[in-house]
Amino acid sequence: MIIGLEVRHYKAYRGKNFIPIGKKHNFIAFTGENGVGKSSILEALDTFLNNKNWLLTKKEKAGDSYICPLFLIPKSKAPRLKNYFESISDFFWQLDQKDKNNEFFKIRDSLDSEEIKNEHYLIFLGEDYNKNLEFPFGDKKSKARKDFSQFIKDKGISDFDEKKFLKELKSLYSYVYLPVEINVENFTKIETEEMQKIFDKELKDEIKTALANVNLDNSDGLNKKLDKFVKEIEEILSHEYCYETGMQRNNKVTTSDLVDKILEVYFQKRILNKKTGNINKKVGELSAGEKRQALINLVYAFLRRRNEREKMVIVGIDEPENSLHTSICYEQFEKLKETSKNAQIFITTHWYGFLPIVDKGIVHFLKNEKENIEFFHEADLYLYPYQTKNIPKDLSLKSTNDLVQSIFHSLKAIKPYSWLICEGPSDQIYLEYFLEEEIEQKNLRIIAVGGVEQVKKFYKYLALPIVENIEDATKGKIFCLTDTDSNLRKNDINQEEKIKEILIIKRLVIENGNFTSLIKFETEEKQDPVDIEKSLNPIILRKTLDALEVEEKFLIKDENIQNKVGNTTKENLRNFEIDNYFVNEEIKNNFAKKYIEIMKTEEKPKDFLPSWINEIKEFFK
């Protein structure tokens, strides 16, 4: 993956600028006002990885401009020139830090584990305007550059070929860039270079298998016959002219060449169409928003089909929300979130509704201060709701407003959505499994917004437009679900009775010590704290604890469970240490995943659904 980028005199970035990206997640967003340099980041990667036009900063010298990505490459992904990669990576792992403010060393220090070093190459190299290798520590005559050259020689590489290494480095990646202005019809043709970048390996392997008996390189093979033809033409021309490839390698036809050509010929007459009932409409005839949606859907389909690819895929998208109705924005970003499981996704955006819903991602906030671009905030969207202090207040508010608008409008779509808004990521893991039928049949979406106060805020924000548009007869429904906390403030919210068939808020409570139910949020009687971990099936919980091999004090004995169809409170389990096991979100999330995994192995998994889930199911009917 690419975990950082340094540019000099590239478009909006005058002078030397380090652009943070991040290593923890594949979903990376850059956001800020227009003209702040967001798109320049995606274009710089396009220039470097795809050899596209160099966008030089105005009034700057071309010879001073460069692009240097910071690569963290799994060793298994670089099968060729291993001696080059090993030696160069060793240099950057060992490079002495002389500048305390250099971002490279901060990132390298955060990677400082033997496991990462043993399994990854760390490379911080790029190229300048003239396509020469660029080393971002001083100029070509600097001591650092001389140390680099000497280090490579000491590793046994006396004839280091910079061009050859750069070409191989770039070949490890497939970068697909979708600017705002793009010819969607041409791009979506499967035979195009951009689309072939994200083909999965299986399809290409199947074509190669079919070509296994094609004779290319034997004495009477295709390449020999083609060579003979070219030589005859050159002889007729008295050798005054010749056919050259302009490349160092010869011009043999390879199996890979045939695969690419077969894909091109097979798909070249096939144009992407959108089906609406019995009518097909060419993608070129769609509205701007529909075209944008088609682009994302196609990339999503290709990348979600298979994990295995010949190259590491990076997709850069300028403003995925461009020209889209607000009701579609959630769906668009949901697809990008899913796609990021199989590729690095870089986006620029002005739609902040994704902040509460992308659970694994990093967002960088940019601003322009006196013609200097500043990355003034970075937020890890994992557990975003608990880290909103890292988000500028105005943007945090806008993220809520954007998402609320998207949810409200989606209720009235032709294929309406329904929503369940819960507190945390672990809640979402359980609910997405418990309600999988509703997700499929009712177009239900479950989002974690973090904490009871956030759920309350979404309820209030959604109640107002629904109350005012009750005659509009929304088709979707929204269920807001919270825990009961010890310090829960209930008196600042009331259920709107006239919209309770569309929008409702309820919370988990304990009855008789071993039974969990849902009650109106505003009910004031004193309640013990209860969360979803106390509201599960005790048999599956016991098996999950066993499978995770937790400390003995947290284990549960079957004979101690008071009510085997009840809940998982300490009273029902007769284990008064169990509450102390769920001490942080990481433990809760890992436990939730294992709980679902074990529940799925049961002969009749539905028999282990918590009883309170039935009330939610009934609401969405």
Side-chain angles (χ1 to χ4, degrees):
M1 63 193 311
I2 293 176
I3 60 175
L5 176 67
E6 186 167 293
V7 297
R8 188 178 188 210
H9 299 334
Y10 187 90
K11 203 177 177 183
Y13 291 89
R14 175 172 276 106
K16 181 179 175 180
N17 292 265
F18 188 87
I19 297 163
I21 292 177
K23 64 184 185 301
K24 191 173 181 181
H25 306 300
N26 277 344
F27 184 100
I28 309 294
F30 299 96
T31 188
E33 298 300 322
N34 287 329
V36 79
K38 303 184 299 296
S39 297
S40 298
I41 299 167
L42 308 188
E43 289 168 327
L45 291 172
D46 199 32
T47 296
F48 178 77
L49 291 171
N50 294 333
N51 299 311
K52 294 297 176 64
N53 290 337
W54 200 285
L55 303 173
L56 186 67
T57 304
K58 292 179 180 179
K59 299 180 181 180
E60 296 296 344
K61 294 180 181 178
D64 294 334
S65 181
Y66 65 73
I67 301 169
C68 285
L70 174 54
F71 298 93
L72 187 66
I73 305 169
K75 292 186 176 181
S76 60
K77 295 292 186 179
R80 298 174 294 275
L81 297 183
K82 279 190 171 292
N83 57 336
Y84 278 27
F85 280 93
E86 287 284 357
S87 301
I88 294 170
S89 179
D90 286 347
F91 174 83
F92 285 109
W93 281 122
Q94 299 172 28
L95 182 62
D96 290 334
Q97 180 174 358
K98 295 181 180 178
D99 182 357
K100 292 182 179 179
N101 296 318
N102 192 303
E103 294 293 332
F104 165 76
F105 295 103
K106 295 177 184 179
I107 293 173
R108 188 187 66 179
D109 291 347
S110 71
L111 299 169
D112 193 15
S113 77
E114 286 304 313
E115 182 180 359
I116 292 177
K117 286 182 179 180
N118 291 336
E119 295 180 1
H120 293 82
Y121 297 126
L122 181 67
I123 293 173
F124 192 22
L125 291 174
E127 67 183 8
D128 62 19
Y129 183 87
N130 297 312
K131 304 297 182 182
N132 296 315
L133 184 77
E134 181 62 43
F135 177 81
F137 295 94
D139 60 30
K140 290 177 172 56
K141 296 181 180 179
S142 68
K143 183 179 184 302
R145 179 63 184 256
K146 291 176 181 176
D147 289 345
F148 173 72
S149 299
Q150 188 59 50
F151 187 93
I152 299 302
K153 287 181 181 178
D154 293 343
K155 287 287 187 176
I157 306 175
S158 57
D159 56 345
F160 178 52
D161 189 327
E162 295 184 354
K163 298 281 189 184
K164 184 179 180 181
F165 175 73
L166 264 178
K167 182 179 178 182
E168 185 61 32
L169 179 62
K170 292 181 183 183
S171 75
L172 302 180
Y173 293 86
S174 286
Y175 180 62
V176 179
Y177 175 45
L178 308 182
V180 172
E181 300 296 332
I182 188 172
N183 187 319
V184 176
E185 185 168 352
N186 285 343
F187 183 91
T188 54
K189 289 181 180 178
I190 294 180
E191 77 275 10
T192 61
E193 180 184 354
E194 295 297 323
M195 280 292 99
Q196 290 197 39
K197 285 178 182 178
I198 54 177
F199 264 114
D200 59 70
K201 189 172 182 294
E202 182 188 58
L203 178 59
K204 289 190 172 184
D205 285 345
E206 288 175 357
I207 299 173
K208 286 179 181 178
T209 300
L211 295 172
N213 295 324
V214 175
N215 184 356
L216 291 178
D217 296 315
N218 293 344
S219 57
D220 61 342
L222 178 61
N223 280 308
K224 293 292 184 181
K225 291 177 179 178
L226 291 172
D227 287 344
K228 181 181 177 182
F229 171 78
V230 171
K231 287 177 182 178
E232 288 176 355
I233 296 296
E234 290 175 344
E235 286 176 6
I236 294 171
L237 293 170
S238 302
H239 296 287
E240 286 187 54
Y241 304 91
C242 64
Y243 284 97
E244 292 289 344
T245 65
M247 301 172 65
Q248 292 182 351
R249 72 176 182 89
N250 60 28
N251 196 27
K252 286 186 176 181
V253 175
T254 66
T255 303
S256 294
D257 293 332
L258 293 179
V259 170
D260 292 341
K261 185 54 66 175
I262 287 170
L263 289 170
E264 177 183 341
V265 172
Y266 181 80
F267 289 113
Q268 66 183 352
K269 294 183 179 180
R270 287 164 170 80
I271 296 173
L272 187 67
N273 283 254
K274 183 176 182 180
K275 299 178 68 174
T276 306
N278 296 323
I279 300 174
N280 290 352
K281 187 184 288 188
K282 293 179 181 178
V283 71
E285 299 170 355
L286 300 176
S287 68
E290 288 175 316
K291 288 178 181 177
R292 202 75 179 155
Q293 192 177 10
L295 274 178
I296 303 299
N297 287 344
L298 191 62
V299 171
Y300 167 80
F302 270 71
L303 291 177
R304 288 289 288 158
R305 183 176 178 270
R306 291 284 187 279
N307 285 331
E308 189 178 358
R309 281 179 169 75
E310 294 175 324
K311 300 182 179 184
M312 292 174 280
V313 177
I314 303 173
V315 180
I317 307 175
D318 265 327
E319 300 181 23
E321 74 278 9
N322 187 265
S323 299
L324 287 183
H325 188 274
T326 186
S327 63
I328 307 297
C329 287
Y330 170 83
E331 181 182 348
Q332 194 87 317
F333 279 80
E334 182 74 6
K335 281 190 168 67
L336 292 175
K337 181 181 85 169
E338 289 300 308
T339 304
S340 70
K341 294 176 181 178
N342 296 335
Q344 259 191 305
I345 303 294
F346 297 158
I347 68 164
T348 69
T349 183
H350 295 287
W351 190 76
Y352 298 96
F354 77 93
L355 293 174
I357 59 177
V358 175
D359 56 346
K360 292 183 179 179
I362 296 172
V363 58
H364 300 282
F365 298 94
L366 292 75
K367 64 181 178 181
N368 200 325
E369 290 288 339
K370 298 178 181 178
E371 297 188 359
N372 289 319
I373 297 172
E374 180 184 341
F375 290 80
F376 70 101
H377 272 291
E378 175 183 319
D380 185 343
L381 297 180
Y382 180 68
L383 303 183
Y384 156 81
Y386 307 102
Q387 300 178 29
T388 50
K389 63 183 180 181
N390 293 329
I391 307 293
K393 288 185 178 179
D394 57 331
L395 299 185
S396 182
L397 178 62
K398 194 173 188 310
S399 74
T400 303
N401 288 335
D402 283 353
L403 186 54
V404 164
Q405 286 185 47
S406 187
I407 291 173
F408 172 69
H409 286 290
S410 76
L411 300 175
K412 301 183 291 181
I414 294 174
K415 186 181 178 183
Y417 286 92
S418 285
W419 300 80
L420 194 156
I421 300 173
C422 60
E423 292 193 27
S426 60
D427 301 348
Q428 185 176 358
I429 293 169
Y430 294 113
L431 293 166
E432 283 181 345
Y433 178 64
F434 296 160
L435 299 169
E436 60 182 356
E437 290 180 3
E438 286 70 21
I439 290 172
E440 182 177 349
Q441 298 170 11
K442 303 291 183 183
N443 216 13
L444 175 66
R445 295 294 180 267
I446 300 172
I447 57 174
V449 295
V452 61
E453 295 303 319
Q454 291 291 322
V455 178
K456 286 163 58 178
K457 179 174 23 173
F458 271 87
Y459 176 83
K460 290 177 182 177
Y461 281 31
L462 284 161
L464 182 60
I466 291 175
V467 167
E468 291 181 348
N469 295 273
I470 192 70
E471 299 83 7
D472 217 0
T474 54
K475 303 171 188 175
K477 295 185 175 186
I478 307 169
F479 195 110
C480 296
L481 176 68
T482 79
D483 301 339
T484 293
D485 298 334
S486 57
N487 59 347
L488 184 63
R489 291 178 290 152
K490 302 182 287 295
N491 57 2
D492 61 343
I493 191 167
N494 290 297
Q495 172 71 54
E496 291 279 358
E497 287 298 317
K498 69 177 181 177
I499 62 170
K500 65 181 181 180
E501 300 300 321
I502 300 169
L503 172 65
I504 194 170
I505 182 167
K506 290 202 169 186
R507 58 189 175 93
L508 296 164
V509 295
I510 299 171
E511 294 182 2
N512 303 322
N514 60 28
F515 184 74
T516 298
S517 64
L518 298 171
I519 66 168
K520 285 185 177 181
F521 189 90
E522 61 267 29
T523 302
E524 285 290 343
E525 67 266 19
K526 179 174 173 54
Q527 297 287 343
D528 292 328
V530 58
D531 52 27
I532 201 164
E533 284 79 21
K534 294 180 180 177
S535 308
L536 302 172
N537 180 275
I539 302 300
I540 303 299
L541 183 130
R542 181 195 65 74
K543 291 182 178 181
T544 305
L545 291 169
D546 290 345
L548 291 172
E549 298 180 350
V550 302
E551 291 182 56
E552 187 174 352
K553 65 181 179 179
F554 298 129
L555 294 176
I556 309 296
K557 296 179 180 178
D558 268 350
E559 59 267 25
N560 287 344
I561 299 174
Q562 304 299 293
N563 182 352
K564 288 184 168 54
V565 295
N567 60 22
T568 45
T569 55
K570 57 190 177 185
E571 292 82 7
N572 191 39
L573 300 174
R574 305 307 294 168
N575 182 323
F576 294 89
E577 289 285 343
I578 192 63
D579 287 355
N580 297 322
Y581 174 70
F582 299 101
V583 292
N584 60 49
E585 287 301 323
E586 184 175 4
I587 288 176
K588 288 185 174 188
N589 292 345
N590 291 336
F591 185 90
K593 291 172 186 175
K594 179 59 73 172
Y595 181 99
I596 299 306
E597 182 184 316
I598 289 175
M599 187 170 167
K600 286 179 178 178
T601 64
E602 297 294 330
E603 187 175 347
K604 295 181 178 180
K606 290 183 180 179
D607 290 349
F608 298 92
L609 278 176
S611 57
W612 52 270
I613 286 291
N614 292 324
E615 183 175 340
I616 298 176
K617 284 177 169 288
E618 192 64 31
F619 173 78
F620 287 115
K621 280 186 179 178

